[in-house]
Amino acid sequence: MDAENEQQAAPAESGGRERQAGLSRRAVIGWAGAGVALGAAAVGTVAAATMSSEDDGAAPQPSPEIPFYGENQSGISTPVQDRLHFAAFDVITDDRDALVRMLKEWTKAAASITGGREVGGGAVGVVPESPPDDTGEALGLPASRLTLTIGFGRTLFDKDGVDRFGLKAKLPEALVDLPKFKGDRLEAGRSGGDLCIQACADDPQVAVHAIRNLARIGMGVVNVRWSQLGFGKTSSTTPDSQTPRNLMGFKDGTHNIAGTDADALAKHVWVAPGDGADWMTGGSYLVARRIRMTIETWDRASLKDQEDTFGRTKIEGAPYGGQKERDAPDLAAMPADSHVRLAHPDSNGGLMILRRGYSFTDGSDGLGRLDAGLFFLAYQRDTRKAFVPLQTKLAANDKLNEYITHVGSAHFACPPGVRKPGEWWGQSLFG
């Protein structure tokens, strides 16, 4: 969805942030062994590649780590990693102090995991009669550019008219209940949530390890409401890299906001002073949509119909009226209902969102059809002025709707970054 409203990003939000100190998981290679595979997410693990040979004596190369601390949360304008584990949580207690304690523990754990270190006392070397602090499946793995991004859902502030945590007065006006768009077939079990954590990494096992350990720390305070694994990023925030393809075979993300474009990020992504709730300054609003593709129908469509649907050529990704992918599109040369024409900023008064989408395949639907599609993630300064008008237009007119259905939806307020050790996720909200 929204192939034109996406550009590519570098670490504008993490510039100048210091690399974490402490024992990394690399340091345990050779005495702790490789991590244990965890279901499908273990496919493609890089454990073997991280082990240095005793014969060649070569020192292990430092793994890429994205700084956790900064003015903005990492995982938004950060260069998009290849794998995703996204989880939405319900808060199952009314105890505000317990929730704050959990957020503080989550923050400590997140700082450790993103730095390639184990949680708490680690997975080994603890009292044998007690459960270890870390589940251990990431032992021997590098940080893999892991980022962890937190968001707060509307129901955290007001759930069925109850102000459980004294936060109702701090509910941002921009954190609206998303309207029901034409064609939506939303499933309650794949929608909503009081909190969310977005874990992105280049190794799926590292991303799953992060979510698993945060869920474990939160036991008794939160339950996982729903989660989604993603692979093969379908958008990028680094314009110089190769543009990814979605499961329909088309390049997706040619015109995304770049993470190096500070002006565009300030205009379209980061909440500014005076935008509303003061605690959200430096944050961003996240819309998550699970979009199922009717792959079998799409695969029987002619090449011309596929290209007309997007308004781009399939091989090169060139917009109609152009020769190369990044040529300026001739919107008038495209079918009126083509996705690119409808979603392009020039058709929407310059409106842009920052995309971090991922493909997914979750088996079959029981009728022999793939349950596959796009897990769409969009960050913006104000959802009411970005995603809502854009999706209203696309839902009503986009030819792509013949092949996709929105089945999951959630909306979160992602606060500013944790600036230094000792601060914690949500401090500006709960403080």
Side-chain angles (χ1 to χ4, degrees):
M1 187 212 113
D2 193 10
E4 277 307 296
N5 230 307
E6 65 201 70
Q7 231 156 32
Q8 277 54 67
E13 74 219 299
S14 38
R17 294 186 282 187
E18 296 181 359
R19 182 177 172 135
Q20 310 259 332
L23 179 67
S24 73
R25 290 192 295 259
R26 277 187 174 273
V28 305
I29 298 173
W31 58 267
V36 178
L38 179 64
V43 177
T45 182
V46 298
T50 64
M51 298 183 186
S52 60
S53 168
E54 293 181 3
D55 295 331
D56 60 26
Q61 295 299 310
S63 63
E65 297 173 12
I66 295 176
F68 176 74
Y69 297 103
E71 293 297 320
N72 311 114
Q73 288 197 72
S74 58
I76 300 177
S77 66
T78 306
V80 182
Q81 305 91 322
D82 192 57
R83 302 288 181 142
L84 166 81
H85 191 187
F86 190 99
F89 297 84
D90 286 331
V91 180
I92 59 174
T93 180
D94 294 333
D95 187 337
R96 176 186 170 116
D97 290 340
L99 177 57
V100 168
R101 284 195 300 271
M102 185 205 73
L103 291 171
K104 291 179 178 179
E105 290 301 311
W106 270 13
T107 307
K108 292 178 185 177
S112 293
I113 301 171
T114 55
R117 300 185 301 279
E118 298 171 57
V119 175
V124 295
V126 296
V127 178
E129 291 75 20
S130 300
D133 290 338
D134 190 291
T135 52
E137 70 273 18
L139 285 171
L141 301 182
S144 300
R145 296 197 303 129
L146 173 69
T147 56
L148 293 170
T149 312
I150 193 170
F152 302 124
R154 185 180 176 90
T155 50
L156 185 69
F157 301 83
D158 181 8
K159 190 166 188 175
D160 299 325
V162 178
D163 184 5
R164 295 176 290 168
F165 307 110
L167 299 176
K168 187 173 182 179
K170 294 187 175 182
L171 173 67
E173 292 183 3
L175 189 60
V176 295
D177 283 324
L178 295 179
K180 180 176 175 57
F181 299 103
K182 182 179 180 180
D184 277 0
R185 296 183 181 178
L186 303 182
E187 302 169 14
R190 297 186 185 275
S191 301
D194 295 332
L195 304 169
C196 76
I197 297 288
Q198 171 194 281
C200 299
D202 290 326
D203 186 329
Q205 189 151 317
V206 170
V208 169
H209 168 263
I211 294 294
R212 179 183 177 186
N213 278 269
L214 295 182
R216 181 176 182 272
I217 291 170
M219 193 173 297
V221 179
V222 294
N223 279 343
V224 175
R225 179 180 178 89
W226 56 270
S227 67
Q228 181 67 58
L229 294 172
F231 66 91
K233 60 186 180 185
T234 62
S235 56
S236 172
T237 49
T238 46
D240 293 336
S241 63
Q242 181 174 340
T243 305
R245 292 183 186 270
N246 58 31
L247 291 184
M248 291 176 163
F250 278 76
K251 292 184 177 182
D252 203 350
T254 300
H255 197 59
N256 196 25
I257 297 173
T260 51
D261 191 340
D263 289 341
L265 291 170
K267 181 178 181 180
H268 298 289
V269 179
W270 305 129
V271 177
D275 279 352
D278 290 341
W279 67 269
M280 271 296 291
T281 300
S284 190
Y285 292 94
L286 166 64
V287 172
R289 303 279 284 188
R290 188 179 191 272
I291 304 173
R292 184 175 175 185
M293 297 175 178
T294 312
I295 296 293
E296 293 76 14
T297 303
W298 175 261
D299 290 345
R300 292 194 298 270
S302 68
L303 176 61
K304 184 179 187 307
D305 186 67
Q306 291 184 358
E307 292 184 334
D308 283 349
T309 297
F310 279 99
R312 286 188 177 275
T313 61
K314 192 168 190 176
I315 299 301
E316 173 59 33
Y320 282 13
Q323 299 296 317
K324 299 294 184 181
E325 177 193 348
R326 300 190 184 279
D327 288 350
D330 180 358
L331 300 180
M334 301 175 185
D337 58 355
S338 67
H339 183 73
V340 169
R341 179 169 178 172
L342 289 170
H344 195 276
D346 290 350
S347 298
N348 296 281
L351 182 157
M352 294 187 74
I353 54 179
L354 189 153
R355 290 193 46 185
R356 292 182 66 92
Y358 288 84
S359 295
F360 70 84
T361 56
D362 290 337
S364 68
D365 63 359
L367 299 174
R369 298 174 301 192
L370 284 176
D371 182 4
L374 169 67
F375 190 66
F376 173 84
L377 298 166
Y379 288 91
Q380 59 247 287
R381 182 173 168 179
D382 189 330
T383 307
R384 298 169 298 177
K385 301 175 182 178
F387 177 80
V388 170
L390 183 60
Q391 180 56 23
T392 299
K393 179 180 181 180
L394 292 173
N397 303 291
D398 196 350
K399 182 175 172 58
L400 190 58
N401 294 330
E402 296 178 24
Y403 306 102
I404 63 172
T405 305
H406 291 240
V407 297
S409 180
H411 187 199
F412 300 98
C414 300
V418 177
R419 294 170 297 177
K420 59 186 178 181
E423 296 185 355
W424 42 279
W425 274 337
Q427 184 170 348
S428 59
L429 170 61
F430 285 88

